[in-house]
Amino acid sequence: MLRAARICASSSTCAISSLLVGPRHLFGHESPHSLDYKCSATKRTGANNIGFLNRKLNIGSCGAYFSTLTETVLVQAHDPSVLALEIENAIDQQRFGDAWRAYEKHIHMDGLPRKSVLSKLIIGFAETCDAHWLNQSYNVVNHAFEEKRELLEKDPLIFLSLTLARSSLPNLAINVVRKLVKMEAYPPVAAWSAIIAHMSQTATGVFLAADMVMEIGYLFQNNRVDPRKKSNRPLLLMKPNSLTFNIILTASLLFGTTKKSEQLLELMPRIGLKPEASLLIVMARIYEMNGHRDEIQKLRRHVNEACGLGESEFRQFYDCLLSSHLKFGDLDSAVDMVLDMLKKGKNTKRSLEAAKSVLETVENNKLYLPYEKTGSDSAHSSNKSVSTDSQMLKYLSFFKDKNFARLELEARELLKLLSDKLQEQVGLVKSEYGVLHPTETMYAKLVKAFLDADKISALASFLVKAGKEDSPVSVESSFVVQVINACISLGLLEKAHDLLDEMRFSGIRVGSTIYSSLLKAYCKEGHHEDDITALLKDAQQAGIQLDASCYEDLIQSRVHHNNTTGALHLFKELKNLSVLKSDHNEFEMLVQGCDNNGAALTAKLVEEVKSGHMVNHAIHDWNNVIHFFCKKRLMHDAHKAFSKMRTLGHMPNAQTFHSLVTAYAAVGGKYVEVTDLWGEMKVLANSSSMKFDQELLDSLLYCFVRGGFFLRAMEVIEMMEKGKMFIDKYKYKSLWLKYHRTLYKGKAPKVQTEAQLKRREAALHFKRWIGLT
């Protein structure tokens, strides 16, 4: 007894408590009274601890104070409420490292903290907008969802998902929304629309956001949610609206995920949504990129009759229509559209000139119109810069916005930014005074299409008509002359000569410059004697006088080919005509003397031809046929069309296979057919430069995982990882848990074939890949 008392007197409290319970920082700066107070709050372990100390250290009644102290220390070390308070204080003081360590201790000691502490931890980490703490916040949610999901609250999870999306972590943002749906804590559409709007700023985010819209949209298709039931109201508040589809479809166009976009368009009528007027333009662009010209033609009447469409929307639509005509090689329709634009532009210009003359008359008579706001004033008032709040989002302001009106406004601003970027991609049509005009790029593409099809006569006819409808210029600056000069500079001398002949047959007279340029080009190549003779004869018949430098090149060419007689004849002709020697740079002078449109056309045509881009119009026709059969689920006919396409020597592309794979997946159970398609795709990939995009490979992977073809699934994963494509592991993990949870769980059988062994190993490899082992 005395010995124990001496120990109490001589040893420090910290040393003994450290020996008993470990780290002293849990209680080092608190008085015994505060510890006793905490001890009285939780008495579940006090008696046991006293007994333990009496037996262990043989402490009697004189050691009562020591016993009380050690009892308090042990209770504090094992009291979750103290750690919960420490978590809250650390979050308030922004000591996030301490908060995380306290959270880990709480998990180890007593599991998850209570709901309010957990929410405060999630919100505190999310408000930092720091990638590390955002990941930790997601880890907290993920752990709580697996262990005790009723501790998770709806608003903090929506806030976390929004912050993850704003911080360019779309894969985590979509997973939080998926957890909310599984918990039946449905986020309102105004909230998750803002989430996908932020996700849609990157290619990976758009890919995931499209999946998210489809997953949520499928819950409402075919009127499966009864709006009359009161219990369905929270679910109906989550239903996608037109703004949601407009955001994801516009973003998908920007980043090229157009196959998913078309699936979203097909989903809209199934959930009872009608497209707005502005969405018609987005639909047209999706159809154009996927090669569905008939669908664009169907939209034309709706676009022309729609209210609220502006100049930029019409410009985008007719850009799509023209691009579609070129893609399918329908040059007649493209020519008709271009000439119609030019005719309307000419009439508008006349009307503007008449209006200007009236205005001048009014001003001369000093008659003033009523005052109106000037353009600068209105521009100052309306053209405010559209920007999103890039600062850190605070939960308090987020929580006060009960209807998420601020988030909806933010989503609309982001949609405006996406739409502006989309308008910048329009390259075939421009607008002046509200009237559409073809651009130089459009002329260049159309001319190249005529040249590739070897339709020189039709090309000349179009260029002559276009030159008449466009602003009047000299013959030397006309479209035809510009195209001929471009052909000469590209070395397409025969086509240039044919165009010159077509002009002559049409009765259009040109100057000497074009003849001189073509003759010099013939002389430079050195093996066009017959062409030179014919062109010289045509020039003489047309009364064209060639310049001195052209004669010099012709004489040298004759001498080079040992045609002394012809050289002497040209020399005498040159001497008799007394041609001035100052005209040496006619081609350069021609280009400098042309108007801006002509020079731009020449440059664009040279650029277009040099690009070497060739369009196989037949592929688009066959893809349309296959897509039609797939849409009607006539898979036997679709496969016959596919075989016929291959037989005729047309190489299928990603669009071809995507239509087939998507249709087989929709029919259900046709995974063997998809496996056969995958075999053909691999052969094509090895034998040609064919490339498969992320959307197609993702569709294949989904089919193989759903059907349990894990050998093929791992092949697709290998190809995607080699191409550095993003794969949504969460989606495939959910698919495994839904359909293959019990697959290969037991021990491997002692006797199995090599094929069975490979299938088992592939399945287990896939299971490890998704993180289940």
Side-chain angles (χ1 to χ4, degrees):
M1 181 77 69
L2 293 174
R3 185 179 179 185
R6 284 197 300 273
I7 293 174
C8 290
S10 61
S11 301
S12 68
T13 304
C14 291
I16 296 175
S17 59
S18 176
L19 178 65
L20 294 173
V21 297
R24 69 181 65 181
H25 70 271
L26 293 174
F27 58 91
H29 299 288
E30 296 185 284
S31 66
H33 301 288
S34 65
L35 295 174
D36 287 342
Y37 172 76
K38 290 176 183 175
C39 179
S40 64
T42 53
K43 296 181 179 180
R44 53 186 176 143
T45 59
N48 295 333
N49 287 336
I50 291 172
F52 169 77
L53 289 171
N54 286 338
R55 290 192 301 270
K56 189 75 176 176
L57 296 176
N58 195 22
I59 297 174
S61 58
C62 65
Y65 177 79
F66 177 76
S67 176
T68 303
L69 178 62
T70 52
E71 174 191 350
T72 306
V73 170
L74 287 173
V75 170
Q76 182 188 16
H78 292 280
D79 186 1
S81 63
V82 176
L83 286 175
L85 184 62
E86 185 177 341
I87 292 171
E88 291 182 314
N89 291 336
I91 290 294
D92 289 336
Q93 298 168 17
Q94 296 187 358
R95 294 183 289 108
F96 301 114
D98 294 340
W100 180 253
R101 285 188 289 272
Y103 166 75
E104 286 183 319
K105 289 178 184 177
H106 199 296
I107 292 292
H108 182 70
M109 180 189 304
D110 197 47
L112 290 163
R114 63 181 180 272
K115 182 182 291 188
S116 60
V117 177
L118 198 65
S119 295
K120 191 164 189 175
L121 186 68
I122 293 168
I123 293 166
F125 286 163
E127 283 186 331
T128 64
C129 293
D130 179 78
H132 172 70
W133 295 118
L134 284 171
N135 274 283
Q136 296 293 59
S137 184
Y138 175 79
N139 291 334
V140 171
V141 172
N142 201 36
H143 180 69
F145 184 79
E146 293 176 356
E147 297 294 329
K148 204 173 182 181
R149 63 181 65 178
E150 59 268 18
L151 292 177
L152 294 172
E153 292 185 296
K154 177 179 175 180
D155 286 343
L157 292 192
I158 295 175
F159 177 76
L160 173 61
S161 180
L162 178 65
T163 311
L164 288 166
R166 289 163 63 101
S167 303
S168 301
L169 295 169
N171 53 326
L172 303 185
I174 186 178
N175 292 345
V176 174
V177 176
R178 285 166 169 164
K179 287 175 170 56
L180 281 165
V181 175
K182 287 184 178 179
M183 292 164 49
E184 297 185 0
Y186 305 116
V189 65
W192 70 268
S193 291
I195 293 171
I196 67 164
H198 283 287
M199 288 172 62
S200 298
Q201 305 304 308
T202 61
T204 300
V206 170
F207 191 82
L208 288 168
D211 275 345
M212 189 166 106
V213 175
M214 281 193 284
E215 288 170 15
I216 295 177
Y218 285 150
L219 300 175
F220 301 93
Q221 67 177 350
N222 303 325
N223 298 318
R224 63 175 62 177
V225 179
D226 190 352
R228 296 170 296 181
K229 289 185 178 180
K230 189 176 181 180
S231 59
N232 286 336
R233 287 180 184 176
L235 178 58
L236 288 168
L237 289 175
M238 188 180 66
K239 183 179 178 180
N241 55 18
S242 295
L243 174 63
T244 310
F245 278 93
N246 219 333
I247 291 169
I248 188 59
L249 292 173
T250 305
S252 296
L253 276 173
L254 276 174
F255 291 98
T257 55
T258 54
K259 314 300 186 305
K260 284 184 181 290
S261 301
E262 192 161 345
Q263 291 175 338
L264 288 167
L265 288 179
E266 294 172 359
L267 179 64
M268 286 182 68
R270 295 177 191 166
I271 64 175
L273 272 183
K274 292 183 179 179
E276 297 175 350
S278 59
L279 199 56
L280 294 173
I281 309 303
V282 178
M283 293 170 65
R285 298 197 68 162
I286 292 170
Y287 290 139
E288 186 273 323
M289 292 187 74
N290 289 344
H292 305 321
R293 185 170 59 145
D294 294 339
E295 300 294 338
I296 305 176
Q297 293 284 16
K298 292 176 185 176
L299 289 175
R300 189 172 187 175
R301 180 175 60 86
H302 297 289
V303 170
N304 290 333
E305 295 176 357
C307 299
L309 291 181
E311 184 178 307
S312 62
E313 282 83 6
F314 281 105
R315 186 162 57 93
Q316 290 183 68
F317 177 77
Y318 283 97
D319 180 90
C320 291
L321 196 52
L322 275 171
S323 178
S324 183
H325 289 324
L326 291 176
K327 188 177 287 186
F328 282 83
D330 189 355
L331 302 182
D332 292 337
S333 296
V335 164
D336 291 342
M337 280 189 66
V338 170
L339 293 177
D340 185 57
M341 288 181 186
L342 293 174
K343 190 177 295 183
K344 288 179 180 178
K346 187 176 182 180
N347 295 335
T348 303
K349 188 174 182 181
R350 288 175 180 172
S351 301
L352 284 173
E353 289 174 353
K356 285 179 182 177
S357 63
V358 172
L359 185 60
E360 288 174 1
T361 304
V362 172
E363 289 178 348
N364 292 334
N365 292 331
K366 297 184 179 180
L367 295 175
Y368 296 101
L369 298 174
Y371 171 75
E372 293 182 0
K373 272 190 176 182
T374 61
S376 59
D377 292 338
S378 60
H380 180 73
S381 62
S382 61
N383 293 340
K384 294 181 179 179
S385 60
V386 181
S387 63
T388 56
D389 184 13
S390 59
Q391 298 177 354
M392 290 191 300
L393 183 64
K394 294 299 179 183
Y395 182 74
L396 185 60
S397 61
F398 166 84
F399 183 73
K400 286 180 179 178
D401 187 14
K402 296 294 184 182
N403 296 323
F404 302 104
R406 180 177 173 275
L407 291 186
E408 185 175 353
L409 178 62
E410 195 172 315
R412 292 188 183 278
E413 290 178 345
L414 288 168
L415 173 61
K416 178 67 168 56
L417 291 175
L418 292 171
S419 300
D420 291 344
K421 290 179 183 177
L422 197 60
Q423 288 180 20
E424 295 173 2
Q425 295 181 354
V426 177
L428 303 183
V429 181
K430 60 184 178 181
S431 58
E432 295 176 5
Y433 306 110
V435 180
L436 303 180
H437 295 270
T439 63
E440 290 77 19
T441 303
M442 175 62 209
Y443 281 120
K445 287 183 178 294
L446 190 53
V447 168
K448 182 177 182 296
F450 273 115
L451 293 175
D452 290 341
D454 204 21
K455 296 182 177 180
I456 305 301
S457 179
L459 172 60
S461 176
F462 160 67
L463 292 173
V464 170
K465 291 177 182 178
K468 290 179 180 178
E469 295 293 348
D470 203 8
S471 55
V473 293
S474 64
V475 176
E476 295 295 331
S477 302
S478 64
F479 288 139
V480 178
V481 172
Q482 292 301 318
V483 172
I484 293 173
N485 282 324
C487 290
I488 293 171
S489 64
L490 289 165
L492 305 175
L493 304 185
E494 292 185 6
K495 296 186 184 298
H497 199 158
D498 292 342
L499 275 173
L500 192 57
D501 288 342
E502 291 293 335
M503 286 187 68
R504 186 166 51 85
F505 295 150
S506 301
I508 299 174
R509 178 184 172 85
V510 296
S512 62
T513 322
I514 196 72
Y515 282 93
S516 297
S517 299
L518 185 54
L519 284 169
K520 288 178 181 179
Y522 276 143
C523 293
K524 188 175 181 180
E525 289 198 356
H527 51 81
H528 294 278
E529 286 301 311
D530 294 338
D531 295 321
I532 291 173
T533 303
L535 192 58
L536 277 172
K537 184 178 180 181
D538 294 338
Q540 290 172 355
Q541 289 178 353
I544 301 296
Q545 182 176 338
L546 303 174
D547 58 81
S549 62
C550 183
Y551 272 104
E552 290 173 1
D553 288 347
L554 288 170
I555 291 170
Q556 289 179 6
S557 176
R558 290 285 192 272
V559 172
H560 181 72
H561 288 87
N562 298 321
N563 187 356
T564 309
T565 306
L568 289 172
H569 176 74
L570 287 172
F571 180 77
K572 290 177 181 178
E573 187 176 333
L574 173 62
K575 187 176 180 181
N576 293 333
L577 292 174
S578 302
V579 180
L580 295 177
K581 293 188 177 182
S582 59
D583 265 341
H584 289 304
N585 300 320
E586 291 79 8
F587 182 71
E588 289 76 5
M589 290 174 62
L590 173 66
V591 174
Q592 293 174 2
C594 292
D595 59 354
N596 292 333
N597 290 336
L601 173 59
T602 303
K604 286 288 183 182
L605 181 56
V606 171
E607 180 184 345
E608 185 69 27
V609 174
K610 283 185 176 180
S611 68
H613 178 67
M614 296 292 293
V615 180
N616 189 343
H617 309 298
I619 288 180
H620 298 293
D621 290 324
W622 279 107
N623 280 348
N624 256 346
V625 172
I626 293 170
H627 180 74
F628 172 80
F629 287 134
C630 289
K631 203 171 180 180
K632 299 294 183 181
R633 304 294 182 255
L634 302 172
M635 300 311 300
H636 179 68
D637 295 324
H639 195 74
K640 283 176 63 178
F642 174 74
S643 300
K644 184 71 172 177
M645 177 185 183
R646 295 285 305 276
T647 304
L648 294 175
H650 302 299
M651 184 73 68
N653 56 14
Q655 176 69 39
T656 317
F657 287 110
H658 196 279
S659 297
L660 291 166
V661 171
T662 306
Y664 278 130
V667 170
K670 300 290 185 180
Y671 305 119
V672 175
E673 288 81 354
V674 175
T675 305
D676 293 338
L677 282 177
W678 173 238
E680 294 191 45
M681 290 168 64
K682 288 189 293 183
V683 172
L684 287 173
N686 293 329
S687 62
S688 65
S689 59
M690 180 179 178
K691 294 182 179 179
F692 305 113
D693 55 41
Q694 182 182 9
E695 291 181 279
L696 174 58
L697 293 176
D698 186 71
S699 298
L700 280 165
L701 182 56
Y702 187 91
C703 287
F704 291 146
V705 176
R706 173 66 182 85
F709 291 80
F710 294 105
L711 271 171
R712 302 292 172 260
M714 293 312 300
E715 290 175 0
V716 176
I717 289 170
E718 183 182 357
M719 182 176 287
M720 293 183 76
E721 289 180 341
K722 187 177 179 180
K724 297 181 180 179
M725 301 177 189
F726 175 80
I727 310 175
D728 186 5
K729 289 188 178 183
Y730 186 96
K731 178 171 69 175
Y732 294 109
K733 181 179 179 180
S734 301
L735 206 59
W736 171 279
L737 293 174
K738 185 175 181 179
Y739 294 106
H740 311 292
R741 183 187 292 270
T742 60
L743 186 64
Y744 299 125
K745 261 201 164 183
K747 292 183 178 180
K750 293 181 179 179
V751 180
Q752 56 181 336
T753 63
E754 185 178 351
Q756 290 173 332
L757 179 63
K758 285 183 178 179
R759 285 197 294 269
R760 181 185 180 89
E761 288 177 350
L764 295 176
H765 187 188
F766 178 82
K767 192 176 180 181
R768 288 192 297 272
W769 179 77
I770 57 178
L772 285 177
T773 55

